[in-house]
Amino acid sequence: MQTQAKPAIEKKPQTEKRHYTPEEYLALEESAIDKSEYHDGEIVPMTGGTANHNKIALNFCRKFPLTVNGQDYETFINDVRLWIPLTRRYVYPDIMVIQGEPQYQGSNKTIVTNPLVIVEVLSNSTKDYDRGGKFLAYRSIPEFREYILIDQYSYHIEQFTKNSNGIATARVVKSWGGGGFREFVYTDERYR
């Protein structure tokens, strides 16, 4: 019995990573079908959200105004871009809360620079980035004071708040049997 030779797999030449300017990124993003983030010259495609992810974000946006009734806050959901100048990043947080007037980048009314609170709904593909590099970039924003991470797969919320020393206190709320919630509070020097 004669065996057939397997066809050779053609290797594609590796393309060089291209460095984009912020202006090139913004121009590409205007006509893009899918959203991407900008990380200091690199364009990074975003993953799609799930129905559960959207429900959690919408529930937060629906409930939050009730907790700050009559105060001067604006809430933005994931179509408003955030510019982080120190790390040269454009990102799309799931939710941003701004106290007072939004500060826009230039004349563009879709890019803000001054969130007070940022909320991210965690997914398996983004949770490490949301807790790591993204959180580090957010901490460079002078107005930024609170970061809330909501796990979409379990009853688990992490809340980080910046105090006057720049140290964030992490408050983790996690579900325990019987539907009750327990709260753990700890301070970690890593979050300066």
Side-chain angles (χ1 to χ4, degrees):
M1 180 169 171
Q2 206 170 10
T3 59
Q4 291 183 338
K6 291 184 179 178
I9 298 175
E10 185 180 323
K11 288 190 176 183
K12 295 182 181 179
Q14 285 198 353
T15 56
E16 285 186 38
K17 272 192 171 180
R18 177 158 180 241
H19 183 87
Y20 294 87
T21 66
E23 295 77 21
E24 289 172 320
Y25 160 75
L26 292 172
L28 289 169
E29 197 72 355
E30 284 294 319
S31 61
I33 294 171
D34 297 317
K35 292 190 282 191
S36 296
E37 293 186 345
Y38 177 84
H39 298 181
D40 194 19
E42 182 182 358
I43 295 177
V44 181
M46 292 180 62
T47 58
T50 64
N52 196 42
H53 183 280
N54 285 351
K55 285 179 188 177
I56 292 167
L58 287 171
N59 281 337
F60 181 91
C61 289
R62 195 172 59 212
K63 301 281 185 180
F64 180 76
L66 300 175
T67 65
V68 293
N69 195 14
Q71 297 179 44
D72 192 16
Y73 293 96
E74 285 197 57
T75 305
F76 297 91
I77 200 152
N78 66 8
D79 284 332
V80 175
R81 196 178 300 119
L82 171 63
W83 168 242
I84 308 170
L86 192 63
T87 59
R88 293 178 40 86
R89 287 183 187 222
Y90 286 104
V91 295
Y92 289 94
D94 289 328
I95 302 161
M96 290 184 285
V97 177
I98 294 176
Q99 185 175 25
E101 290 292 317
Q103 294 174 8
Y104 295 103
Q105 183 191 34
S107 61
N108 193 322
K109 298 291 186 200
T110 63
I111 304 170
V112 297
T113 62
N114 63 324
L116 179 73
V117 178
I118 297 175
V119 180
E120 295 285 3
V121 179
L122 301 176
S123 67
N124 289 331
S125 62
T126 64
K127 65 184 175 186
D128 292 336
Y129 171 53
D130 289 339
R131 285 191 177 106
K134 204 172 196 182
F135 186 22
L136 188 61
Y138 289 161
R139 291 195 309 260
S140 73
I141 302 167
E143 296 85 356
F144 178 65
R145 293 289 175 265
E146 187 170 354
Y147 192 40
I148 299 171
L149 300 171
I150 303 171
D151 189 326
Q152 69 172 305
Y153 306 110
S154 67
Y155 294 106
H156 186 85
I157 298 170
E158 296 171 73
Q159 177 187 27
F160 298 89
T161 55
K162 196 188 316 183
N163 66 27
S164 60
N165 297 327
I167 298 171
T169 300
R171 180 181 309 164
V172 179
V173 179
K174 189 170 184 176
S175 169
W176 291 83
F181 288 94
R182 292 197 182 164
E183 185 175 304
F184 300 93
V185 179
Y186 61 91
T187 300
D188 193 329
E189 295 284 331
R190 291 178 303 165
Y191 302 112
R192 286 184 180 250

